[in-house]
Amino acid sequence: MEHLKPTAANSSPLTPLGFLDRAATVYGDCVSVIYNQTQFTWSDTHQRCRKVASSISSLFAIRRGDVVSVLSPNVPAMYELQFAVPMAGAVLNNINTRLDARTVSVLLQHSGAKLLFVDCTLRSLAIEALSLLKVKPAMVFIRDRYESEEVNALTGEFAASYDELMERGDSGFDWVVPETEWEPMVLNYTSGTTSAPKGVVHCHRGIFLMTVDSLMEWSVPKRPVYLWTLAMFHANGWCYPWGIAAAGGVNVCVRKFDAAAIYGLIERHGVTHMCGAPVVLSMLSNWEHARPVKNKVKIMTAGSPPPAAVLFRTESLGFEISHGYGLTETAGLVVTCAWKPGWNRLPASEQARLKSRQGVRTLCLTKVDVIDPATMASVARDGATVGEIVLRGGSVMLGYLKDENATAKAIQNNWFFTGDVGVMHSDGYLEIKDRSKDVIISGGENISSVEVESVLYTHQAVSEAAVVARPDEFWGETPCAFVSLKTGLAKRPSEKEVMEYCRERMPHYMVPKTVAFMEELPKTATGKVQKFVLRELAKKMGPSPTRHTSRM
């Protein structure tokens, strides 16, 4: 069969951008985007994206491989730019809207962005960030004509507007097809929860595979109604901007939300799917007016291990939760807790415990393992022996932008080293125990902060919990718990009462020796608790006042 070789007919580059062309053909008259009182069809969205891509190319001389940054919440323009920017041949860089001006300027300088799209409400942040740069990208403001005049007034003077690009663009623009599927498509910066942000580069092929994988793994049907509670700037919304186009679904966009807004949008639009960090689950289950949803809503959660107690409470309200694991470096979720039919016969509490595990590799991930980094050997599949989680597959990043050393450190021996500590259970399901920096070593014992947090979340008064190491002169480190309590409590528990609650439910060496109450835990924009902030707070407390007795 030596004469059989790839041809132009079977080797066109894989890219998720083609999903929009197909959606316009198959679902052209169907609703694509809902935002407040405004609706677009897939035919509208297809034309709008091509117009913006056309203007990006013609008005700003953006060429293949140039970086275009976006600073915006989940409004329709943000959704359209996930297509329009790469359709112009540029590399899309979504920026976290909660960063400060200095950090935004650092990312713009590091990426070499030629153009910056800015939502009107973030005007001051963008202008301050650009004032710190010697070489400034061109700037386009997204004026939200679907919002109030008060919001629109925030734009003030500007050089160009998104509407202007839409008006001047060509709806028949022949979008730029990648020369190879390995061509960079997106640039995402890591959240910086454990280190300085790094620029993660993904290619068209990786994003295509991740998009298709996400739809298959979650069993997303045609025409879903997807509520955007996950920030699109977070790993491009786990690739669902392109996925919902592939499925011809409805994107319910929302600028900002709380529990009341989520419940209202679910009821008004018949939402079927949504994604978010465990903080979204806590928001839904802890709301004082929480009520069971009329129709089952599927939620995919990831970002940090969801406590079993939170899963149980949220599912009791009619939400069907799936749990996954991924990183910015994998473009989305590459491990999910695939549900086994036999588990349906188990008690609800046991189902929640099983669902809190990360699970098994998705179909497009080649391999996942937990290894001993010193020997590179797989750890025992006993649910107790810890090691580092490593991954291999098509959606793993190309590497870190302008950082060969970090890339070489992260990708070794054909594995991507996640920096997460986990165990492999006998049934082949993965469970994260901690970030490598979050393991607490107390008197020679390794304490998983995740395990301690899981117990804290079962306390009926606890809304959020995070555990970090506090210095101790005798033990080296001891667990320090930062806790926020639910609102409207008749009686607030004391520090001692929380400790006693934990003592009854875990080995004594794992019990927090400090409990600090906070109104709200510090988080990234994607809902991840900023443990590096809490570690600094614990360090400033000084050595813990521990009674150095024997521990059981």
Side-chain angles (χ1 to χ4, degrees):
M1 299 186 182
E2 292 80 5
H3 66 287
L4 299 176
K5 297 179 180 179
T7 67
N10 61 23
S11 58
S12 297
L14 296 176
T15 175
L17 300 179
F19 297 153
L20 182 57
D21 288 342
R22 185 177 185 277
T25 300
V26 180
Y27 307 105
D29 295 332
C30 299
V31 175
S32 59
V33 174
I34 295 176
Y35 179 59
N36 295 335
Q37 306 306 312
T38 301
Q39 291 189 8
F40 296 120
T41 65
W42 278 111
S43 180
D44 296 331
T45 297
H46 185 231
Q47 289 189 13
R48 288 171 64 85
C49 290
R50 292 171 77 176
K51 284 182 177 181
V52 174
S54 167
S55 291
I56 289 174
S57 298
S58 61
L59 300 181
F60 299 98
I62 297 297
R63 297 294 177 258
R64 189 187 298 272
D66 288 343
V67 173
V68 174
S69 298
V70 185
L71 192 60
S72 173
N74 289 351
V75 296
M78 178 63 163
Y79 181 78
E80 292 163 358
L81 287 167
Q82 306 308 298
F83 289 92
V85 171
M87 287 172 82
V91 177
L92 173 65
N93 167 227
N94 295 327
I95 297 178
N96 187 327
T97 61
R98 292 189 181 179
L99 297 176
D100 59 21
R102 186 196 65 79
T103 306
V104 171
S105 71
V106 169
L107 301 190
L108 289 172
Q109 181 177 21
H110 184 265
S111 67
K114 299 287 184 66
L115 177 62
L116 172 63
F117 286 86
V118 181
D119 182 77
C120 55
T121 58
L122 300 166
R123 176 179 180 274
S124 297
L125 172 64
I127 291 176
E128 184 180 352
L130 264 60
S131 71
L132 302 173
L133 296 175
K134 292 182 179 180
V135 180
K136 299 174 174 53
M139 187 159 53
V140 175
F141 280 106
I142 300 169
R143 294 185 64 148
D144 196 342
R145 61 169 134 174
Y146 314 108
E147 278 285 359
S148 67
E149 289 300 319
E150 180 181 356
V151 171
N152 291 334
L154 293 172
T155 48
E157 296 299 322
F158 52 88
S161 74
Y162 190 78
D163 287 343
E164 182 182 352
L165 267 62
M166 192 69 67
E167 291 168 3
R168 298 179 63 175
D170 177 10
S171 62
F173 176 69
D174 191 11
W175 57 270
V176 181
V177 177
E179 293 180 343
T180 76
E181 58 191 34
W182 299 100
E183 192 171 297
M185 177 178 165
V186 299
L187 167 64
N188 292 322
Y189 282 88
T190 58
S191 62
T193 52
T194 58
S195 61
K198 295 187 287 289
V200 176
V201 181
H202 284 287
C203 62
H204 285 258
R205 178 178 186 270
I207 297 298
F208 179 95
L209 291 174
M210 187 72 258
T211 301
V212 174
D213 203 18
S214 298
L215 295 175
M216 293 175 62
E217 186 61 38
W218 204 12
S219 300
V220 177
K222 295 179 180 179
R223 302 291 297 141
V225 180
Y226 184 91
L227 176 59
W228 275 103
T229 47
L230 173 66
M232 290 187 214
F233 63 68
H234 179 49
N236 299 97
W238 302 346
C239 289
Y240 282 107
W242 304 291
I244 300 304
V250 179
N251 294 276
V252 181
C253 291
V254 55
R255 177 177 289 278
K256 56 184 178 180
F257 61 86
D258 54 20
I262 292 175
Y263 277 105
L265 290 168
I266 287 173
E267 187 171 340
R268 188 177 313 129
H269 300 300
V271 170
T272 61
H273 293 73
M274 54 188 283
C275 292
V279 66
V280 175
L281 307 185
S282 296
M283 182 188 298
L284 293 171
S285 60
N286 291 334
W287 188 42
E288 57 184 343
H289 302 297
R291 58 190 182 276
V293 292
K294 294 180 180 179
N295 299 309
K296 191 173 289 295
V297 178
K298 296 184 177 183
I299 301 179
M300 178 66 76
T301 189
S304 60
V310 174
L311 288 173
F312 178 77
R313 289 200 301 266
T314 310
E315 292 207 318
S316 68
L317 293 168
F319 295 94
E320 181 181 311
I321 300 172
S322 298
H323 177 208
Y325 166 71
L327 306 94
T328 305
E329 289 88 344
T330 61
L333 309 184
V334 291
V335 174
T336 62
C337 189
W339 198 249
K340 296 184 178 183
W343 292 349
N344 290 323
R345 297 189 293 270
L346 299 173
S349 58
E350 178 63 10
Q351 289 186 31
R353 186 192 69 78
L354 289 170
K355 190 169 287 189
S356 68
R357 301 188 302 175
Q358 280 60 44
V360 297
R361 68 178 178 87
T362 57
L363 293 172
C364 288
L365 188 72
T366 306
K367 194 170 183 180
V368 59
D369 202 359
V370 178
I371 68 170
D372 180 341
T375 65
M376 297 297 293
S378 301
V379 302
R381 294 192 170 199
D382 55 8
T385 306
V386 298
E388 183 166 353
I389 300 169
V390 291
L391 308 169
R392 184 184 297 161
S395 70
V396 171
M397 65 174 181
L398 294 177
Y400 295 116
L401 180 67
K402 303 175 185 175
D403 198 338
E404 293 182 5
N405 291 335
T407 301
K409 183 178 179 181
I411 301 176
Q412 302 178 47
N413 297 324
N414 298 318
W415 285 111
F416 167 62
F417 284 72
T418 65
D420 287 326
V421 175
V423 298
M424 192 68 78
H425 288 271
S426 58
D427 60 359
Y429 277 57
L430 168 73
E431 181 177 5
I432 290 179
K433 288 301 181 181
D434 239 323
R435 290 291 301 178
S436 57
K437 291 189 177 183
D438 293 335
V439 174
I440 302 165
I441 304 175
S442 185
E445 296 281 359
N446 286 356
I447 299 173
S448 165
S449 64
V450 172
E451 289 188 22
V452 182
E453 290 160 3
S454 295
V455 172
L456 286 166
Y457 269 105
T458 64
H459 194 295
Q460 61 181 3
V462 171
S463 174
E464 298 176 315
V467 177
V468 298
R470 178 178 177 182
D472 186 278
E473 293 178 353
F474 185 81
W475 300 111
E477 297 176 338
T478 57
C480 175
F482 290 89
V483 174
S484 69
L485 300 176
K486 296 177 182 177
T487 58
L489 293 174
K491 182 179 181 297
R492 295 170 63 90
S494 66
E495 177 182 0
K496 183 179 179 181
E497 287 171 337
V498 173
M499 291 180 185
E500 287 301 319
Y501 181 85
C502 292
R503 187 175 291 273
E504 294 172 0
R505 292 165 174 79
M506 65 177 68
H508 290 183
Y509 74 89
M510 295 177 63
V511 174
K513 302 305 181 289
T514 310
V515 176
F517 295 106
M518 306 178 74
E519 287 297 318
E520 184 177 357
L521 303 187
K523 304 182 191 70
T524 66
T526 56
K528 290 184 182 180
V529 174
Q530 294 176 310
K531 284 196 170 181
F532 71 93
V533 174
L534 299 180
R535 279 195 291 269
E536 286 300 313
L537 290 176
K539 190 181 297 182
K540 290 178 181 178
M541 292 178 182
S544 56
T546 311
R547 295 176 61 185
H548 301 137
T549 57
S550 61
R551 298 183 292 181
M552 299 176 63

